[in-house]
Amino acid sequence: MYNFKNDYSEGAHPRILDKLIETNLVQQSGYGEDEYAQQAKAILKERLNNPDAGIYFVSGGTQTNLLVISFLLRVHEAVISAKTGHIAANETGAIEATGHKVITTETADGKLRPEDIANVLEAYALAPHVVKPRIVYISNSTEIGTIYTRDELKALFQFCQSHHLLLYLDGARLGHALTAENSDLTLAAISEYTDVFYIGGTKNGALLGEAIIFNKPELAIDFDYAIKQKGAMLAKGRILSIQFLELFKDDLYFDLAQQANALAMRIASAVREKGYTFLTESTTNQLFPILPKKVIERLSQHYQFYNWKNIDDEHTAIRLITSWATDEEKVEAFIRDLQEA
Amino acid sequence: MYNFKNDYSEGAHPRILDKLIETNLVQQSGYGEDEYAQQAKAILKERLNNPDAGIYFVSGGTQTNLLVISFLLRVHEAVISAKTGHIAANETGAIEATGHKVITTETADGKLRPEDIANVLEAYALAPHVVKPRIVYISNSTEIGTIYTRDELKALFQFCQSHHLLLYLDGARLGHALTAENSDLTLAAISEYTDVFYIGGTKNGALLGEAIIFNKPELAIDFDYAIKQKGAMLAKGRILSIQFLELFKDDLYFDLAQQANALAMRIASAVREKGYTFLTESTTNQLFPILPKKVIERLSQHYQFYNWKNIDDEHTAIRLITSWATDEEKVEAFIRDLQEA
Amino acid sequence: MYNFKNDYSEGAHPRILDKLIETNLVQQSGYGEDEYAQQAKAILKERLNNPDAGIYFVSGGTQTNLLVISFLLRVHEAVISAKTGHIAANETGAIEATGHKVITTETADGKLRPEDIANVLEAYALAPHVVKPRIVYISNSTEIGTIYTRDELKALFQFCQSHHLLLYLDGARLGHALTAENSDLTLAAISEYTDVFYIGGTKNGALLGEAIIFNKPELAIDFDYAIKQKGAMLAKGRILSIQFLELFKDDLYFDLAQQANALAMRIASAVREKGYTFLTESTTNQLFPILPKKVIERLSQHYQFYNWKNIDDEHTAIRLITSWATDEEKVEAFIRDLQEA
Amino acid sequence: MYNFKNDYSEGAHPRILDKLIETNLVQQSGYGEDEYAQQAKAILKERLNNPDAGIYFVSGGTQTNLLVISFLLRVHEAVISAKTGHIAANETGAIEATGHKVITTETADGKLRPEDIANVLEAYALAPHVVKPRIVYISNSTEIGTIYTRDELKALFQFCQSHHLLLYLDGARLGHALTAENSDLTLAAISEYTDVFYIGGTKNGALLGEAIIFNKPELAIDFDYAIKQKGAMLAKGRILSIQFLELFKDDLYFDLAQQANALAMRIASAVREKGYTFLTESTTNQLFPILPKKVIERLSQHYQFYNWKNIDDEHTAIRLITSWATDEEKVEAFIRDLQEA
């Protein structure tokens, strides 16, 4: 059985493990004050073209989302998300547990546009009997594999700025988004067109770790208190900073994502050649092909994946995910099995 | 400069890194459903002599404390802690952030006794105008290096049971407590005489990780929801389970703690021989010697440690911590420097 | 201008004011321990045919909802509501502010049925990555004027019982629901077929006040702590108990509601006679007629009401509310003006 | 039996009931938008000599405290209170339930001074491992009957301003404080030397109600959302505004408080004449005489009061409270009984 269920089935890229071993007995300050953190932040600020960015390393995506959102909202404020957004669909009410409503809006492709936000603002106009929208939460790539273009992100950011809204981007799979063939965004552009975002490590080669970036440093004042309070400050913060130091000291982060995308695109081509369609137009490492149930049954004898959505009596959309660690030969085998199924 | 500030200045015991490398590319289920977790839990249950224990691995102590306490308390209930308790003194209001008061009580040695709890119950009798005490939080070893004996723990547990209170033990340094020369407790006894506790990995050889143990499995029902909600569920849960698998598959966990204690005791002997006293009677890896300020000044040219408490114009209590990774030669050098100072 | 905007534009039924004056200088215990509270509770228990019910008086509906729901839920649990439900639409995220998600579901008529709940349970099956539904919240009458029949309520309650769900009924306008011409429910039946509910006073003759009823007393244990903690325990609790004592010592509560309904039905008949339709099939004191915008414009010269929903370029649904205090002559005038418009 | 237990044993001053009756059937907007609110606010702003003050009426003191404090604090911030402060001692963890720690400090007389705050700031210096103090909470009169002078308040306010702290004053018994014979404070001075405070109605003649005053209007932006969210926004807000309209349209509020103080001072004189001492030096309507237990036993045959604190085997401090509604003849009778006891 080979696992296409997710992009966290394996450990870390070997270079990261090597670095952990190499630095293992060097004494370092705890709680994020280690030298590797300083080095990793310096490198990231350059990539972001933002020397003033506030950068923090924590261990996971749900943790990041609840930290950032609860830190930036006041008691009566809320966050807007696509209904498919991770904070709305997959985080066990983590945001609500910090006291805030997640306002959801239906989308066709998992992406929010200015008109979606305008509709929410209109629906939430009856102050003070409704919460006050304050943050717009988006994911890039989205939970269904789609990505934002530079123009889309810029338009959304400008809308937010003109409506006293903060734009926060969940980059759990940011590498895959930025290296997608149809992407025209860069880390620097993301830093320019969002207020806060995070760069996901866990799903792209790290053992664990996400890098939170406050593009406007004034938003980050006192954020370290929140990290400690929510239990997200590792005593051995060095573990987290080493992940990002290694991923970004050259192009490893992007190379790994591109590799995952490329394998996904090979599968996508095979799906299309076979005449099947997709639930969403993904150009990243998550694919949602709609396959005959009989085909799915045969594939599931050798491969693990999620049955995502029942389409009709004879078809289901499945979810296939590739990663930096995906075995190319298994992809080839999967394609052959698909062709023969 | 050598660092005696804490027990998390280095990485992990080499055997843990080796295991991470060995298992790195084996595909595993995410979110704590990996095989290593099953193996580690099986080993721990045997050590605990409690086949029904509910066991969960998370990444840090503050996270553990807020998870357990907020999960077990209802809205109007509170937790009792020594004033020196970590949840009261060092966690940025993490418990209050989940909605609950931490009731503190002064102690001489960081330990809670039945009479301390009885006093709190009396002070909190004016229902419903005060919170309702429900959990007693203790640490072993305490934040000032002292430990509980078996009789003390048993008496406290029995008091809790007869007053509808849950006893929760913070074991951030449980290894050091259990291997202290004057300890008569075992993991199995801890499991018998507490409702919930945790075994600290971070401060005793792990890269990161704490093992939460619900001794009564009915208390643990649905706890995985809370882990996810608070952002404590690592996608690559394998990282955490491998720490405990390696630490407990033989006596590594205890050996490392004993080694840390032994080095601390060597320093303690030297302190005593030199005629100095201690702020607390520690038999574990945290020492609080009271030294002349001039001596401290000289030592601080070569060693890092905390100035813990000003005693008088000429004396200060400092905190020295040893760990599994402490260099024996540096300990010897420190003792020589102390003798000569 | 006459106000049909809501049922809280006036003060209290004169009998309540008389009772406040009569008892004004009688010394009473504070915080709900007054004699009137005991008397009012005794009367209500008889009406409910439930001598063990736990009864508490608080000042408003949002307060009631957040108190009950936050008290009954554990951290990872959530409440299900119709999208039109007051907790979802009109309470400024009050439930989320206590840490819990409100799961909403679309309905045609504001009412929840077993199949709606079944759908939610199916959508929230991916434990522990989603919250755990635990309370079903319904309103009777609903926020759009519709009511539950006995069979509907019973079926929903049985579904809840067989799925480990609590059924909580918001009775802000319970009097209007129970006295609607097509209602076959009674207070006793509500007590039988829900776990918790409240009897709204504010919108039916009281100065302020809602009576929370725990039909199963074991659910109410310690609830007074929560009332105090959320700032809902009035020092002069007598004010609240006197409202319910007066409303329920005879049939005043029902008479007032019936009177409000009757006036609404007169307007409804006139609307129908004129050939207009309604947005919802209300038999209670809230009407949502769909009128030509020109007619609305003329009516709004003499009457205040909400424009509820735009229907098309020429029509809007408005909301008209009658109450125990509505002036019958104003109703007649409104009907004449409607006929002539 | 006559009740000296508290100042909320009776209803409201008759003028308030008269006004409720007089205005009962006048239609008004709900949720605090009534005309009486506008009138009452205009009067208060004049008294405060602060035309820009943000004023809000809610129903009780605990509600007020949790509303103001949770609205002004960010997640990592905390409030400082005397150990005897109402938020620390008598509100069932209401502040903690909103996510914030209450830092307590011992005082001799229930009052906080700059040096107390300085000590807290020093103890909470280890950022980010401790919460960040942000609000200083004081009560005037305090929970033990003492009051602040103008100089004391000014000094505390200036300290707060120079340390980025907000000063919030709980005025549950503000009338009694301002009319104490040794008070040199006025409403206008309170408005000048605090950031936020509230004027208590419940304990000085109102049926219910507290007036929250934001002296700096920028702090109050969006506060109405919080009022709604915490369930504190009464549909019939008129009830609250009428209390303050009537209490402040002339000097009723101050006259009632002065009358309560005067009766307390008569009792205090009698206590002193008899040779007894007091636990605290109260000049307001709360007295804490230390009496022989035998005397207490005899008095308690005819009067209700709290046994506040055991002093020694033969003496207890009791709490006696007078109010606007206290019967002068009962006070005389009490004094006679005390003299004879």
Side-chain angles (χ1 to χ4, degrees), chain C residues 2-3 8-12 21 24 26-28 31 62-63 90 92 94 202 206-207 228-229 231 236 238-239, chain D residues 3 8-12 21 24 26-28 31 62-63 90 92 94 202 206-207 228-229 231 236 238-239:
Chain C
Y2 194 76
N3 187 340
Y8 40 82
S9 296
E10 290 88 359
I21 290 167
N24 192 42
V26 182
Q27 289 194 318
Q28 290 291 334
Y31 299 118
T62 298
Q63 189 174 77
N90 296 93
T92 320
T202 304
L207 262 189
K228 178 65 188 165
Q229 182 184 75
K236 296 178 181 169
R238 63 200 292 158
I239 313 173
Chain D
N3 187 341
Y8 40 83
S9 296
E10 291 88 0
I21 290 166
N24 191 42
V26 183
Q27 290 193 318
Q28 289 290 336
Y31 299 118
T62 298
Q63 189 174 76
N90 296 94
T92 320
T202 304
L207 261 189
K228 177 66 188 165
Q229 183 184 74
K236 296 177 181 170
R238 62 199 293 157
I239 312 173

Side-chain angles (χ1 to χ4, degrees), chain D residues 302-321:
Chain D
H302 298 291
Y303 308 96
Q304 291 181 297
F305 45 79
Y306 278 107
N307 285 334
W308 191 257
K309 191 181 176 181
N310 195 50
I311 303 297
D312 57 32
D313 282 358
E314 293 180 6
H315 297 83
T316 294
I318 64 168
R319 188 182 77 169
L320 297 172
I321 300 195

Side-chain angles (χ1 to χ4, degrees), chain A residues 86-97:
Chain A
H86 211 260
I87 57 167
N90 296 95
E91 300 186 355
T92 319
I95 302 306
E96 290 87 351

Side-chain angles (χ1 to χ4, degrees), chain B residues 293-303 337 340-341:
Chain B
K293 293 189 184 190
K294 288 194 181 168
V295 171
I296 293 172
E297 200 178 332
R298 283 194 56 181
L299 290 171
S300 59
Q301 287 164 14
H302 298 292
Y303 309 96
D337 288 347
E340 292 164 14

